[in-house]
Amino acid sequence: ADGTRALFMLFGGTGDLALRKLYPALFNLYKKGSLSKHFALLGLSRKELSDEEFRAKIMTSIADETADQQVATEFVSHFYWKSHDVNNMDHYQDLKKIGNQLDDQYQTGGNRVFYVSMAPRFFGIVAQNLQSQHVLSENGGFNRLVIEKPFGRDYQSAKELNDQLNSGFQENQIFRIDHYLGKETVEAIPVLRFGNPLLEAVWNQNYIKDVQITLAESLGVEDRAGYYDTAGALRDMIQNHTLQIVSYLAMDQPNSFVDTAIRAEKVKALESMEIYTDQGVKDNFVRGQYAGDEDHPDYRHESGVPVDSNNDTFAAGKIVFNNPRWGKTPFYIRSGKKLADKQGRVDIEFKKPLVDIFAKGTGTPGELQKNVLTLEIDPRVGLSLTINTKDSKQGLHTETVPLDYLQSDNRAAQVPLPYERLFHDILNGDGTYFASWPEVAAAWHFVDPVQQVWDTQQPDFPNYQQGSMGPTAADELLARDGNAWFYRG
Ligand code: NAD
């Protein structure tokens, strides 16, 4: 196959994300033939670089993926550099000219991907200037805009950003990156659900007791305090990644597997989440900030963090859906830094039989346990279901055993990088694994009241030990419903 034709304009071309993630992903696509010889990439930032200097940076960036030096050299020959200040209109005139030249030289078919990998305050400015300065391709190719996270810091700012993007791009041209949606296990959720009637038949409040989503990090704030201290776990992990995963788990079956149909169902699910009152927030959300120990500072003494910071490094909450599928079944979510382990997972707890004919009473050897379906997202990719069976001893006692599938190392090595999948989808115009605007809006509508309550109340921080699974209040949140976190670190 010829692969896709396109010219990329990458704003923030020497940034951390571009060098660590974006170029290796593009290189892998190139090696697999998804990017044709008819592609070029124009790197942009204020830096003055020659094409040769830029190509040398790309060579270093893709070194881990490079087996064949010849192929790497070929790949980087498609890269060009232009020093560009996003606020300088003259510079967009240059972009227009260079863009047309590269289109001709590489026969890109006029297809353009504008990737904004810069600080979020530039997202809207770039989109507007691309439009007003006529940098968009006008000869029949596609124009697609890729936006990094975060998408706003509340509904209002997200709406303003979206309006700015809409000045030059329609919704189906905008790809809001959520790299969790490029992960194998997350992408597999729709197939697991809608490809297996035995699961989908019980995927509702009648059979599922509760759903738990954990996105735990073992690292602390590292060197990103400048950004993180203005965001916090709720904005950085819950509003986007966690609620996106929730949407694939909670949605109804789309009428076909195309992005427009899938997005419509995701939005319906997100819009049916109950929005909490102030009291509801207090009852259903927990925040935390990590304490120090002998060897490590507490969050407030990390470099770059104000000593009086009330920022949340942990957030947990309970989601209730006002819809017939989920009715009384809660979804519990949690994410935080400096937790017991790096662990991204979904645990779905099924109900016990209404009548347990094997038990002679609670806690007796015959008592049945809940079936739990676990989807492992990070760091392992896997799937497991605990089922009740008879143990091998004399007399009838029961035990649970896992039915599990764990991806082999060999197979894991073949799995595309998240950004590789997402680039592939962008080139194909497939928005299945990207957040649409109505989804982003619904997620902010849910999260904003939580943040507002937190902003107006003094927390009692620090409130959790490094290496634990967060504050005890996060356990009490479930205990009140007669539930408990299945994953305990
Ligand atoms: P970065 O600071 O490393 O890079 C930003 C780039 O923008 C640099 O190339 C810089 O030269 C350029 N730039 C700054 N001001 C400019 C101006 N006025 N005109 C032109 N160029 C200018 O940032 P990053 O870490 O690569 O992050 C980029 C985006 O990706 C951000 O939105 C961030 O939130 C997101 N992101 C980053 C990571 C990560 O691991 N780094 C992870 C997830 C999301």
Side-chain angles (χ1 to χ4, degrees), residues 12 14-17 20 45-46 84 86 117-118 123 148-149:
T14 50
D16 175 65
L17 183 78
R20 275 194 313 114
S45 86
R46 282 176 306 190
H84 178 90
V86 295
S117 179
M118 302 179 67
F123 295 167
E148 263 301 329
K149 76 178 236 191

Side-chain angles (χ1 to χ4, degrees), residues 159-172:
K159 170 92 172 70
E160 282 160 21
L161 169 58
N162 201 57
D163 289 345
Q164 284 180 307
L165 304 188
N166 282 149
S167 68
F169 298 86
Q170 285 160 14
E171 178 63 20
N172 65 4

Side-chain angles (χ1 to χ4, degrees), residues 23-61:
Y23 301 132
L26 283 172
F27 184 45
N28 283 347
L29 284 179
Y30 181 75
K31 286 189 293 187
K32 290 175 187 169
S34 308
L35 265 185
S36 73
K37 301 206 179 316
H38 302 287
F39 99 92
L41 186 144
L42 184 62
L44 304 157
S45 86
R46 282 176 306 190
K47 284 201 178 59
E48 298 282 354
L49 292 178
S50 66
D51 291 343
E52 286 316 315
E53 287 168 320
F54 182 43
R55 289 171 188 175
K57 283 184 192 293
I58 307 299
M59 273 297 203
T60 311
S61 149

